Amino acid sequence: MVFGRSSRKKRPVEPVTLKILVAGGFGVGKTTLVGAVSEIRPLRTEETLSEAGRPVDDLAGVEAKTTTTVAMDFGRITLREDLVLYLFGTPGQDRFWFLWDELAQGALGAVVLADTRRLEDSFAAVDYFERRKIPFTVAVNCFEGAETFPTGTVQAALDLDPEVPLLMCDARDRASVRDVLVAVVEHAAARVARGREPATT
C-alpha cells in the first residue's frame, strides 16, 4: 500500500463554455478560420454562388470564390481543460445581416476578420460590435500577394479605440487562429475586470 497518495480518482473538470463570433466582410476567410481551429467537424451552411446573386455580391478581389455562408459556421475548440470556446461564423453579405442579432445573443466577444485589400468591408462589423459594446479583436488575414501594413496604420484606417487588439494572422493555420481567440478572451476578461461588462443584446 502506498501512503501519502489519495486513492480517489480525480474528478473531471467541468469546463466553462464561451461563445465567440467570427465576423467580417464577404470572402475574408471566416469559414476557413473556423475550420482551421475546430476540434469537431465544423457545421457549415455554404451554398454555391448563383447568377442571381452576382448583382449584390461584390466579388472584386475574391473572383475565385464559388460558395458563400448563408446562415453560420459553427465549430468548437478547447483552449484549456476548463475552457471551451464555441465559434459562430457570421455571413458576410449585407442581405444576411439580420442574422447577426440572433448570433450575438450571449456572446463573450468577437473576432473581426479583415483583408487589407478590402478593408472597408470590415467597417460594418467594427461598428456593430462597438455599438453593442461587445469586446472584439481585429485579425488581419494575411492573404498571399496582399500588401502588408504596420498594425498602427490598419488601426488608424479602421478608427479603432487604442484598447482594441489587432493581430496579423493566417486563417488557415491552427496556431495562428488560436492566438487570435486567446486575445479575444483576454480582452473580454480585461474589460470585465475594469467593470465594463459587455452587453450581449
Side-chain angles (χ1 to χ4, degrees):
M1 181 175 181
V2 179
F3 294 97
R5 293 184 181 177
S6 173
S7 59
R8 296 179 183 175
K9 288 185 178 180
K10 188 177 178 182
R11 290 184 178 180
V13 175
E14 187 68 30
V16 173
T17 58
L18 303 174
K19 180 179 183 180
I20 302 292
L21 298 185
V22 180
F26 176 60
V28 78
K30 300 180 295 294
T31 298
T32 300
L33 183 148
V34 173
V37 79
S38 180
E39 62 200 18
I40 61 172
R41 183 176 180 178
L43 169 66
R44 293 174 173 162
T45 56
E46 288 204 312
E47 295 292 341
T48 302
L49 289 169
S50 65
E51 287 300 320
R54 289 190 180 278
V56 291
D57 293 332
D58 181 10
L59 295 177
V62 286
E63 291 83 0
K65 188 170 175 61
T66 59
T67 61
T68 184
T69 299
V70 296
M72 67 172 185
D73 298 311
F74 173 77
R76 184 188 73 200
I77 176 175
T78 301
L79 288 185
R80 301 190 310 253
E81 182 183 24
D82 60 344
L83 181 59
V84 175
L85 303 185
Y86 289 115
L87 309 177
F88 290 80
T90 65
Q93 300 102 309
D94 298 11
R95 66 184 188 276
F96 295 127
W97 282 352
F98 68 92
L99 294 170
W100 285 33
D101 286 341
E102 290 293 328
L103 292 175
Q105 291 281 347
L108 172 84
V111 176
V112 175
L113 199 58
D115 178 355
T116 56
R117 301 169 301 178
R118 310 172 84 198
L119 204 55
E120 67 279 3
D121 290 354
S122 304
F123 294 160
V126 168
D127 182 61
Y128 182 90
F129 297 123
E130 284 181 342
R131 283 188 285 113
R132 286 161 179 77
K133 303 189 185 305
I134 297 174
F136 66 95
T137 293
V138 174
V140 177
N141 192 8
C142 299
F143 285 92
E144 188 174 343
E147 188 173 356
T148 57
F149 299 91
T151 55
T153 301
V154 180
Q155 285 177 319
L158 291 173
D159 193 25
L160 297 177
D161 289 337
E163 69 174 27
V164 176
L166 187 145
L167 296 82
M168 301 296 168
C169 82
D170 182 343
R172 303 166 299 180
D173 182 75
R174 180 180 176 85
S176 181
V177 173
R178 189 180 186 280
D179 289 344
V180 171
L181 297 174
V182 168
V184 176
V185 174
E186 290 178 344
H187 177 48
R191 281 188 51 164
V192 172
R194 290 195 302 267
R196 297 172 56 190
E197 187 167 358
T200 53
T201 67

mmCIF file of all heavy atoms in Angstrom, residues 7 33 101 104 106 116 131 136 192:
data_model
loop_
_atom_site.group_PDB
_atom_site.id
_atom_site.type_symbol
_atom_site.label_atom_id
_atom_site.label_comp_id
_atom_site.label_asym_id
_atom_site.label_seq_id
_atom_site.Cartn_x
_atom_site.Cartn_y
_atom_site.Cartn_z
ATOM 1 N N SER A 7 -6.345 7.740 -2.898
ATOM 2 C CA SER A 7 -6.802 6.647 -3.763
ATOM 3 C C SER A 7 -8.021 7.047 -4.586
ATOM 4 O O SER A 7 -8.492 6.298 -5.415
ATOM 5 C CB SER A 7 -7.145 5.422 -2.899
ATOM 6 O OG SER A 7 -8.167 5.755 -1.967
ATOM 7 N N LEU A 33 -11.235 30.096 -41.179
ATOM 8 C CA LEU A 33 -10.747 30.255 -39.807
ATOM 9 C C LEU A 33 -11.408 29.259 -38.870
ATOM 10 O O LEU A 33 -10.725 28.581 -38.093
ATOM 11 C CB LEU A 33 -10.987 31.693 -39.342
ATOM 12 C CG LEU A 33 -10.476 32.079 -37.957
ATOM 13 C CD1 LEU A 33 -10.054 33.551 -37.928
ATOM 14 C CD2 LEU A 33 -11.519 31.834 -36.872
ATOM 15 N N ASP A 101 -27.975 39.642 -35.059
ATOM 16 C CA ASP A 101 -28.532 39.864 -33.719
ATOM 17 C C ASP A 101 -28.808 38.544 -33.010
ATOM 18 O O ASP A 101 -28.576 38.417 -31.802
ATOM 19 C CB ASP A 101 -29.821 40.693 -33.794
ATOM 20 C CG ASP A 101 -29.546 42.162 -34.090
ATOM 21 O OD1 ASP A 101 -28.401 42.598 -33.888
ATOM 22 O OD2 ASP A 101 -30.472 42.857 -34.513
ATOM 23 N N ALA A 104 -25.450 36.987 -32.014
ATOM 24 C CA ALA A 104 -24.745 37.749 -30.983
ATOM 25 C C ALA A 104 -25.280 37.501 -29.579
ATOM 26 O O ALA A 104 -24.626 37.859 -28.597
ATOM 27 C CB ALA A 104 -24.803 39.237 -31.297
ATOM 28 N N GLY A 106 -25.680 36.327 -26.137
ATOM 29 C CA GLY A 106 -24.836 35.585 -25.209
ATOM 30 C C GLY A 106 -23.369 35.500 -25.569
ATOM 31 O O GLY A 106 -22.616 34.759 -24.929
ATOM 32 N N THR A 116 -6.700 43.464 -46.004
ATOM 33 C CA THR A 116 -6.215 44.805 -46.324
ATOM 34 C C THR A 116 -6.570 45.232 -47.751
ATOM 35 O O THR A 116 -6.571 46.423 -48.051
ATOM 36 C CB THR A 116 -4.682 44.906 -46.139
ATOM 37 O OG1 THR A 116 -4.036 43.911 -46.940
ATOM 38 C CG2 THR A 116 -4.312 44.710 -44.670
ATOM 39 N N ARG A 131 -21.118 49.464 -31.189
ATOM 40 C CA ARG A 131 -22.423 49.973 -30.757
ATOM 41 C C ARG A 131 -23.045 49.088 -29.692
ATOM 42 O O ARG A 131 -23.757 49.577 -28.811
ATOM 43 C CB ARG A 131 -23.370 50.119 -31.959
ATOM 44 C CG ARG A 131 -23.077 51.339 -32.813
ATOM 45 C CD ARG A 131 -24.132 51.570 -33.869
ATOM 46 N NE ARG A 131 -24.015 50.628 -34.976
ATOM 47 C CZ ARG A 131 -24.910 49.696 -35.265
ATOM 48 N NH1 ARG A 131 -25.992 49.540 -34.515
ATOM 49 N NH2 ARG A 131 -24.736 48.896 -36.301
ATOM 50 N N PHE A 136 -14.163 42.996 -28.957
ATOM 51 C CA PHE A 136 -13.731 42.320 -30.183
ATOM 52 C C PHE A 136 -12.248 42.558 -30.424
ATOM 53 O O PHE A 136 -11.655 43.519 -29.937
ATOM 54 C CB PHE A 136 -14.556 42.778 -31.386
ATOM 55 C CG PHE A 136 -14.356 44.221 -31.773
ATOM 56 C CD1 PHE A 136 -13.438 44.579 -32.767
ATOM 57 C CD2 PHE A 136 -15.080 45.227 -31.151
ATOM 58 C CE1 PHE A 136 -13.250 45.903 -33.109
ATOM 59 C CE2 PHE A 136 -14.906 46.559 -31.494
ATOM 60 C CZ PHE A 136 -13.990 46.907 -32.478
ATOM 61 N N VAL A 192 -14.153 43.130 -18.347
ATOM 62 C CA VAL A 192 -14.975 42.772 -17.188
ATOM 63 C C VAL A 192 -14.265 43.190 -15.906
ATOM 64 O O VAL A 192 -14.882 43.724 -14.978
ATOM 65 C CB VAL A 192 -15.274 41.259 -17.184
ATOM 66 C CG1 VAL A 192 -15.959 40.857 -15.876
ATOM 67 C CG2 VAL A 192 -16.156 40.888 -18.377
#
